Amino acid sequence: MQRSSLRVDNTHDLLTVRGTDIDRYFTPKSLPGLGTLQDGGVRANCPLRTALRESEIIWPASQGPDLVISIGTGYAVDGPADGAARQPRFPRDSFIERGIRTFLTSPAVDGQRGWRDALDSIPKNIRKNVFRLDCGIAGKLPELDDTLEIDKLGEFEYRIPAELSRAWLARTFFFELDTEPVMLHGSYDCQGSILCCKFDAAGLIEQVKLAFPDARFTLAEGHTFGSVEGDSGCTTCGYYRKRILFRVSSIHESVELGIYGTTGFSSLGGFPTTVQDLLEAQQADFPFGRADHRSDQWPPLRQCYCTRRKRSRESARDESMSKKRRL
């Protein structure tokens, strides 16, 4: 099963206004029955930690997101803007001025500081799947509502790391068991299929080959399952399926399946995991029925999109004929 891929987007990554000007950018909104609401930019300008907590609530059974992307809107490479360049509204180094300066450079408001602060609290098992996209800006940062600076900001170089591109491509593929593991000679034989979450798998395969020269599906320990090719599955509708078999000494043993090439290794969606977790995620064992009252779908049916579309058209035609007969 593929775990969710989570995207974190910063609307206001770095707040550079003075405390007395905040309402000009983040106008509060009063809603009947709820009260007055304030833009989250003055509390969690980098919402990474909040988003990760929300993902735990939405997907409690998940071990964490496959991929986390935090997107910034630029930060000052020389640190916060020098307050001396502006005419202070309060006596210099007064308590009020120090309080405003502390607030504007705190992790709650400064998106870059908030990112570093949130990164320290991320569990190590998912930290390697967290990426930050941002751009350093030399000199004074423009005001948030300064539209005249938009063209100048477009001149800054903004690159997506190759490591992130490879991780994104690898996680469009995931693995599911086709049958229950079978114990043979002291180990479990696990048969399953590598599937793709996209319809146009052939196009993705070409991108994978560019990002992973000599791309192969492998286990992290080194066992390979052959090259990544576009002829696995249905070439008509783009359905992708590559059957593989691997062995584990225990169904609780951690397994990491991924794509390996000359540029490195990236895990597939949902990995690392255990065979036991795969069985539970696929809801393989329901001795007392399913909670959603649906029929047991184990072992899973593997059908390409052509078959599904054909059955859908046939069902629609049968329904239409039934209505005509009733008329």
Side-chain angles (χ1 to χ4, degrees):
M1 298 293 288
Q2 187 184 29
R3 292 181 296 199
S4 60
S5 178
L6 179 64
R7 182 175 184 269
V8 181
D9 194 352
N10 295 352
T11 304
H12 309 290
D13 191 68
L14 183 60
L15 182 63
T16 59
V17 299
R18 288 169 289 184
T20 53
D21 293 335
I22 287 179
D23 287 342
R24 181 159 62 92
Y25 298 108
F26 308 109
T27 305
K29 182 69 175 180
S30 297
L31 299 179
L34 294 178
T36 302
L37 305 179
Q38 176 68 53
D39 190 292
V42 299
R43 177 62 180 86
N45 215 359
C46 178
L48 175 60
R49 184 179 296 172
T50 303
L52 289 175
R53 176 55 185 153
E54 285 293 320
S55 71
E56 293 176 356
I57 297 173
I58 298 173
W59 299 286
S62 174
Q63 298 180 3
D66 280 331
L67 197 60
V68 178
I69 305 175
S70 177
I71 302 177
T73 56
Y75 62 93
V77 295
D78 300 326
D82 187 2
R86 298 181 177 182
Q87 182 66 30
R89 295 191 178 186
F90 304 99
R92 185 167 181 80
D93 289 332
S94 66
F95 172 78
I96 295 178
E97 184 182 356
R98 291 197 306 272
I100 293 174
R101 189 165 59 245
T102 300
F103 171 69
L104 294 179
T105 58
S106 68
V109 178
D110 188 326
Q112 188 68 6
R113 291 176 183 266
W115 152 252
R116 292 195 295 264
D117 183 64
L119 187 63
D120 290 338
S121 64
I122 294 177
K124 290 184 178 180
N125 63 317
I126 66 172
R127 189 174 298 181
K128 64 178 181 179
N129 301 325
V130 179
F131 294 86
R132 173 74 169 179
L133 300 180
D134 209 346
C135 180
I137 299 176
K140 178 184 174 183
L141 291 174
E143 300 287 348
L144 291 179
D145 60 348
D146 190 354
T147 57
L148 298 178
E149 294 291 325
I150 294 179
D151 292 337
K152 295 181 181 179
L153 293 175
E155 298 175 359
F156 285 91
E157 188 175 11
Y158 195 89
R159 291 184 177 181
I160 297 178
E163 183 182 1
L164 172 56
S165 299
R166 291 193 295 268
W168 183 273
L169 289 170
R171 282 157 179 78
T172 58
F173 296 89
F174 61 101
F175 173 83
E176 284 189 350
L177 291 167
D178 291 337
T179 62
E180 292 187 7
V182 178
M183 170 67 82
L184 289 174
H185 309 296
S187 62
Y188 289 92
D189 279 8
C190 304
Q191 297 186 36
S193 298
I194 296 175
L195 306 169
C196 182
C197 65
K198 304 294 184 180
F199 286 97
D200 183 21
L204 282 172
I205 293 295
E206 294 304 317
Q207 296 182 52
V208 168
K209 290 181 178 180
L210 292 175
F212 298 87
D214 193 26
R216 296 175 177 273
F217 288 114
T218 66
L219 291 175
E221 62 189 30
H223 183 76
T224 181
F225 302 103
S227 59
V228 180
E229 297 293 345
D231 57 357
S232 299
C234 180
T235 57
T236 302
C237 65
Y239 174 78
Y240 186 87
R241 180 188 182 188
K242 184 179 182 67
R243 299 175 179 85
I244 65 171
L245 182 147
F246 61 88
R247 294 182 175 87
V248 293
S249 58
S250 169
I251 60 174
H252 301 287
E253 175 185 340
S254 180
V255 179
E256 187 168 11
L257 178 62
I259 298 177
Y260 176 80
T262 57
T263 53
F265 175 88
S266 289
S267 303
L268 300 190
F271 285 90
T273 188
T274 66
V275 174
Q276 178 63 38
D277 288 339
L278 287 171
L279 289 169
E280 292 179 359
Q282 292 183 235
Q283 303 178 340
D285 186 16
F286 285 85
F288 301 106
R290 296 167 57 106
D292 56 8
H293 304 291
R294 295 174 59 187
S295 60
D296 196 349
Q297 297 182 359
W298 183 263
L301 298 176
R302 303 293 183 202
Q303 298 176 338
C304 71
Y305 306 127
C306 297
T307 305
R308 299 175 190 176
R309 291 168 183 167
K310 181 179 179 181
R311 288 191 174 185
S312 178
R313 289 194 296 267
E314 290 177 350
S315 299
R317 184 170 60 253
D318 293 343
E319 183 179 355
S320 177
M321 293 298 295
S322 176
K323 289 181 179 179
K324 290 181 180 179
R325 285 195 295 269
R326 287 198 299 269
L327 293 175

